[in-house]
Amino acid sequence: MVPLLLLLLLPEALSDQVCLNISDGEITIRINATDIVEKRPGNLNCSVDNCPCHIQCMFSNLTELRNVSSVCLDSEVEHGPQMVEYKITDYSTCSLHLCTNISILPAIGSLESDSSDQSGMKRLLLIRNSCQNLFSSDFQVKKAFIRMERQMIHKIMETSHPDSGGFINYSMQELSLNVFNISEAQLDSSNSRIQLEAPQLLPENMSYIPDIWLPAHALHNIPKDERIIGLVSYTQHSQFQFDKEKISSMVVRIEQLGTKHLHNLRTPIKMTFRIPPNTDMGNESRLQCYYFDENDGCES
């Protein structure tokens, strides 16, 4: 599945052909006198009658098109609730979803079956980026996104095999994931906590990456093969904003594999957050620490 072809068709005047022109790294699509230009993968502007939309495409047999700069392809059109599906004969099936609750929730859910790699996460982020206004206002869509993001993070963690005591980093556009394999040697030290490195996404973020320590005794109680911890950091964290609060620090997500979890802690988890030095703090501003509850949103 590759978000490459953007099919923009007006619901009242559907065509059975999609015409493509590829030159100088740009892709132009013409349907019913409508032009769409993609300058790089993942950067698509989709709209129907000035209403935002999202496109998902599944491709096959692209070898014949690699050396083609201009072509028109036949397509079959099928309608669904707030969406239209286009089957480009022999090459692609693309689904266009209007940025509405009734259309985007199934689009998020459709990613569940193929969410075991980084490409699934990139498609999930593309849905959010295509429908920014919907994601900023619809609580139900935010929750569906966060649940799917968590499932994908866990799928990646399950298929990761970092060395004992080491970690593997995955950078996925707007988030970065470190997957740690906690070793016995780390837990046998005299320290009550072990420090894990939160991932960074941009070099300038290094100065305010949070410091994170997990309690060693709690990790001792987890089976050795389940001591897989995932730390996630974000460049964009709008999915965690449910009110008018402003997030001044990085957002960190901590995930753990297995059935046993960190709870009833004698030694608490410790995190130190920093904010950029140029952060505007007015006289009426104050800093608070929040955690996210998947059922109720953010809590202080």
Side-chain angles (χ1 to χ4, degrees), residues 50-118:
N50 295 319
C51 296
C53 56
H54 169 69
I55 195 79
Q56 292 179 347
C57 295
M58 183 77 72
F59 290 92
S60 62
N61 300 327
L62 289 179
T63 305
E64 299 177 28
L65 299 180
R66 285 179 180 172
N67 298 318
V68 176
S69 61
S70 182
V71 65
C72 289
L73 303 171
D74 293 330
S75 67
E76 299 176 4
V77 182
E78 296 182 6
H79 291 273
Q82 299 286 298
M83 60 88 68
V84 185
E85 184 174 82
Y86 309 98
K87 296 181 179 179
I88 305 174
T89 307
D90 297 331
Y91 295 108
S92 173
T93 297
C94 291
S95 300
L96 186 149
H97 301 260
L98 294 179
C99 288
T100 62
N101 178 293
I102 195 173
S103 178
I104 292 302
L105 285 175
I108 293 174
S110 70
L111 298 176
E112 186 167 4
S113 61
D114 59 3
S115 61
S116 60
D117 59 19
Q118 297 177 65

Side-chain angles (χ1 to χ4, degrees), residues 13-299:
L14 295 175
S15 170
D16 61 356
Q17 278 205 329
V18 178
C19 295
L20 310 174
N21 184 53
I22 305 172
S23 63
D24 298 327
E26 292 188 355
I27 302 173
T28 302
I29 302 95
R30 175 178 288 273
I31 306 168
N32 290 337
T34 301
D35 292 321
I36 305 97
V37 177
E38 178 194 31
K39 294 188 176 180
R40 66 178 186 274
N43 183 22
L44 300 174
N45 293 320
C46 178
S47 64
V48 176
D49 282 340
N50 295 319
C51 296
C53 56
H54 169 69
I55 195 79
Q56 292 179 347
C57 295
M58 183 77 72
F59 290 92
S60 62
N61 300 327
L62 289 179
T63 305
E64 299 177 28
L65 299 180
R66 285 179 180 172
N67 298 318
V68 176
S69 61
S70 182
V71 65
C72 289
L73 303 171
D74 293 330
S75 67
E76 299 176 4
V77 182
E78 296 182 6
H79 291 273
Q82 299 286 298
M83 60 88 68
V84 185
E85 184 174 82
Y86 309 98
K87 296 181 179 179
I88 305 174
T89 307
D90 297 331
Y91 295 108
S92 173
T93 297
C94 291
S95 300
L96 186 149
H97 301 260
L98 294 179
C99 288
T100 62
N101 178 293
I102 195 173
S103 178
I104 292 302
L105 285 175
I108 293 174
S110 70
L111 298 176
E112 186 167 4
S113 61
D114 59 3
S115 61
S116 60
D117 59 19
Q118 297 177 65
S119 62
M121 182 68 76
K122 292 177 181 178
R123 291 191 292 273
L124 180 64
L125 294 171
L126 185 60
I127 293 177
R128 183 191 63 185
N129 293 342
S130 299
C131 303
Q132 291 280 5
N133 290 338
L134 177 67
F135 274 79
S136 66
S137 60
D138 193 299
F139 184 81
Q140 191 177 11
V141 170
K142 283 177 183 276
K143 289 177 65 176
F145 177 93
I146 291 169
R147 284 194 296 267
M148 182 57 66
E149 182 187 63
R150 183 175 185 270
Q151 289 181 30
M152 290 184 174
I153 290 170
H154 276 246
K155 287 286 187 179
I156 294 171
M157 291 170 63
E158 288 169 2
T159 56
S160 298
H161 302 286
D163 295 334
S164 179
F167 72 92
I168 298 175
N169 173 260
Y170 299 91
S171 293
M172 294 166 278
Q173 295 178 338
E174 298 166 27
L175 65 82
S176 186
L177 165 67
N178 282 353
V179 181
F180 296 86
N181 183 355
I182 308 300
S183 67
E184 289 288 339
Q186 288 174 291
L187 300 180
D188 286 341
S189 68
S190 58
N191 296 324
S192 60
R193 298 184 180 95
I194 63 170
Q195 185 173 5
L196 300 182
E197 180 181 344
Q200 72 177 79
L201 285 152
L202 302 171
E204 57 266 31
N205 289 346
M206 192 64 192
S207 61
Y208 63 104
I209 290 178
D211 294 324
I212 299 171
W213 294 267
L214 299 185
H217 79 273
L219 291 167
H220 260 302
N221 298 328
I222 296 173
K224 183 178 179 180
D225 59 351
E226 294 184 6
R227 292 180 193 149
I228 305 297
I229 303 294
L231 294 186
V232 184
S233 62
Y234 301 84
T235 56
Q236 182 184 150
H237 37 238
S238 58
Q239 67 266 33
F240 300 112
Q241 292 175 288
F242 286 82
D243 205 343
K244 295 181 180 180
E245 72 277 1
K246 178 181 178 181
I247 299 178
S248 298
S249 69
M250 291 182 66
V251 173
V252 172
R253 184 171 195 152
I254 304 176
E255 296 290 344
Q256 177 202 335
L257 286 185
T259 56
K260 292 192 174 183
H261 301 292
L262 301 174
H263 65 283
N264 298 328
L265 304 180
R266 298 196 307 268
T267 303
I269 296 172
K270 179 181 177 181
M271 293 182 283
T272 301
F273 288 89
R274 302 175 180 87
I275 62 174
N278 59 348
T279 301
D280 183 17
M281 295 289 293
N283 293 333
E284 301 299 322
S285 300
R286 62 192 179 99
L287 293 174
Q288 284 186 299
C289 187
Y290 282 82
Y291 69 91
F292 182 80
D293 186 297
E294 291 192 4
N295 296 315
D296 300 321
C298 288
E299 301 287 344

